[in-house]
Amino acid sequence: MNLVNQTVIHKAFGEGKIISIENGYITILFSQGEKKFIYPSAFKQFVSMKDPACAEFVQAEIAALEAKEAEAAEQKRLLAMQQQEAALAASAAKDSKPVKKAKVFPRANIAFKCNYCDGGKSAEQVGFNGVCSDAVIYNNIEVEKRTWCNDESCACLHYHNGEMDRETLDSQCRDGGFVCYESQMLREWRALAGVVRSGVRKDEPMKLQQVQNNSLCILTTRDPDSSETDRYIFAIFLVDETYEGDNREEGYVSTRSKFKIKLSPDEAHKMLFWNYHTNDNQSDVAAWSSGLHRYFDDVEAVQILRDVADLKTGTADEALAKEFLSHFITINGVDVDSVPTNNGAIVRAAKS
């Protein structure tokens, strides 16, 4: 069913008309302006169709989505059972077989490059949980010239140009509408691959082809007026849901597990990304050119988790950080004794 031009009712914005539905998002024109929401999830709580037949169609879409999510959850449950059975079998065979040293092997952990967002900034978190301040919006649009922030679909650009007031912008984010990936990153604990913003593949969804459950995901950013060397890690989580992506929707990773940790501003600035990571070429240069994500191995992951655990000593997250490190080492079979000290681009540059 084609829902374009159909009327909807939003709890906060009133009646609006659907303009488009694409790439998992629905764009609706209200009297206050255009707003973008996740489709069909927004119809669970914030938005409803005025036409009964359309409402029935959307509910069927929601039911199909929930069935898909339930199937994915069941697959995760079965995988967990298989892993548990394998662990029990290995434990039973331990007495009859020589103990072998666990092997450190490359696998797909992932790091995301995020535009700086101070929405929701506090003593406990850098931000990334609300719309940016006016100063950061100006910086991202006028100074850094961030691609999405300057996109005609970006609500912050409409606000910056005087086409929307601050309350409307904040309410769009607060009421479940889409503003940007960064503004909801630590609310949803989800990182998306994004779409191609230029060239012959412009607007094509990007894929995540190497990430698996039990991989480590780290979220990185850098402050305004800082260099790439200053890029830091502001949050980490253990991936327990992945979607590779296809020709219609971008890939993503997320988590519902307890293994997710936010770093305070002081802690985050001590976790410099390039203390751990290197480029294949020019390994002593801190340079992240194209792309929103990078893959890294378990050695680097353990180095990061180990330093986070040290940083969290004496805080409310101390026990969780230590358990996170131990859990990651166990489920991925990492020989922690063979993990060397950090040797990222910054460390290598200092040695040269």
Side-chain angles (χ1 to χ4, degrees):
M1 177 180 288
N2 184 6
L3 299 180
V4 174
N5 292 324
Q6 291 293 328
T7 301
V8 303
I9 301 173
H10 189 280
K11 289 184 177 180
F13 306 129
E15 286 196 2
K17 183 170 290 186
I18 297 174
I19 297 176
S20 66
I21 302 176
E22 56 186 8
N23 295 328
Y25 294 97
I26 183 169
T27 303
I28 303 172
L29 178 62
F30 296 98
S31 60
Q32 302 94 331
E34 292 184 9
K35 302 187 184 300
K36 187 177 288 189
F37 304 88
I38 298 174
Y39 178 83
S41 301
F43 286 86
K44 293 182 181 180
Q45 185 175 0
F46 304 105
V47 190
S48 60
M49 298 296 307
K50 192 171 184 179
D51 180 81
C54 293
E56 184 177 349
F57 173 79
V58 171
Q59 289 305 312
E61 293 270 87
I62 292 173
L65 175 64
E66 290 177 341
K68 182 179 178 181
E69 292 175 343
E71 181 181 357
E74 177 64 13
Q75 290 176 349
K76 286 194 293 184
R77 186 186 70 81
L78 292 174
L79 177 61
M81 289 179 60
Q82 292 171 357
Q83 291 173 335
Q84 184 178 19
E85 290 172 357
L88 290 172
S91 178
K94 186 176 181 180
D95 294 335
S96 60
K97 292 184 178 180
V99 176
K100 294 182 68 176
K101 199 171 185 179
K103 180 182 179 182
V104 177
F105 56 94
R107 65 189 300 274
N109 302 291
I110 190 166
F112 282 88
K113 178 173 69 172
C114 308
N115 293 337
Y116 179 74
C117 170
D118 63 349
K121 182 178 181 179
S122 68
E124 288 74 39
Q125 61 185 19
V126 170
F128 296 87
N129 195 2
V131 181
C132 291
S133 65
D134 288 3
V136 172
I137 289 175
Y138 177 87
N139 177 78
N140 286 345
I141 293 174
E142 300 291 350
V143 181
E144 303 278 359
K145 300 189 183 301
R146 300 297 188 188
T147 303
W148 169 250
C149 302
N150 280 280
D151 190 282
E152 61 182 12
S153 300
C154 178
C156 292
L157 181 62
H158 290 292
Y159 167 69
H160 179 69
N161 291 337
E163 301 164 0
M164 177 188 297
D165 61 35
R166 181 73 201 201
E167 175 55 31
T168 301
L169 176 63
D170 288 335
S171 65
Q172 179 167 333
C173 181
R174 186 173 59 246
D175 295 336
F178 178 80
V179 174
C180 66
Y181 299 142
E182 284 82 0
S183 65
Q184 57 191 26
M185 194 161 275
L186 295 187
R187 181 183 71 191
E188 305 292 340
W189 286 95
R190 172 178 293 196
L192 294 97
V195 298
V196 180
R197 288 295 172 188
S198 61
V200 295
R201 295 182 56 230
K202 187 176 186 296
D203 295 329
E204 286 187 18
M206 299 182 70
K207 296 182 179 181
L208 300 177
Q209 297 176 321
Q210 299 182 44
V211 188
Q212 304 170 15
N213 286 357
N214 297 326
S215 292
L216 178 68
C217 176
I218 66 172
L219 306 177
T220 78
T221 193
R222 61 180 181 85
D223 294 338
D225 301 320
S226 64
S227 68
E228 181 58 32
T229 305
D230 300 317
R231 178 171 298 280
Y232 57 84
I233 300 167
F234 65 87
I236 61 175
F237 64 83
L238 187 69
V239 175
D240 66 6
E241 182 178 356
T242 66
Y243 175 61
E244 179 179 321
D246 54 29
N247 293 331
R248 296 177 55 195
E249 297 183 359
E250 62 202 286
Y252 69 81
V253 296
S254 65
T255 189
R256 296 182 182 179
S257 78
K258 67 177 180 179
F259 294 114
K260 48 183 178 285
I261 296 177
K262 296 183 290 188
L263 301 181
S264 70
D266 288 342
E267 292 167 341
H269 284 88
K270 296 175 183 176
M271 291 293 299
L272 297 181
F273 174 67
W274 294 103
N275 269 336
Y276 309 93
H277 197 68
T278 62
N279 291 305
D280 292 335
N281 298 321
Q282 293 185 301
S283 62
D284 60 346
V285 177
W288 190 326
S289 51
S290 61
L292 296 180
H293 62 273
R294 290 189 168 211
Y295 299 110
F296 59 94
D297 62 23
D298 278 352
V299 169
E300 192 172 325
V302 170
Q303 290 170 342
I304 292 168
L305 286 168
R306 188 167 55 192
D307 284 355
V308 168
D310 288 342
L311 269 179
K312 289 296 185 179
T313 300
T315 72
D317 288 329
E318 177 179 357
L320 175 61
K322 290 180 178 178
E323 185 182 358
F324 195 163
L325 171 61
S326 176
H327 181 71
F328 184 88
I329 290 169
T330 300
I331 61 175
N332 292 311
V334 181
D335 176 15
V336 69
D337 293 329
S338 70
V339 176
T341 57
N342 307 344
N343 194 29
I346 294 175
V347 179
R348 297 185 185 202
K351 294 177 181 177
S352 61

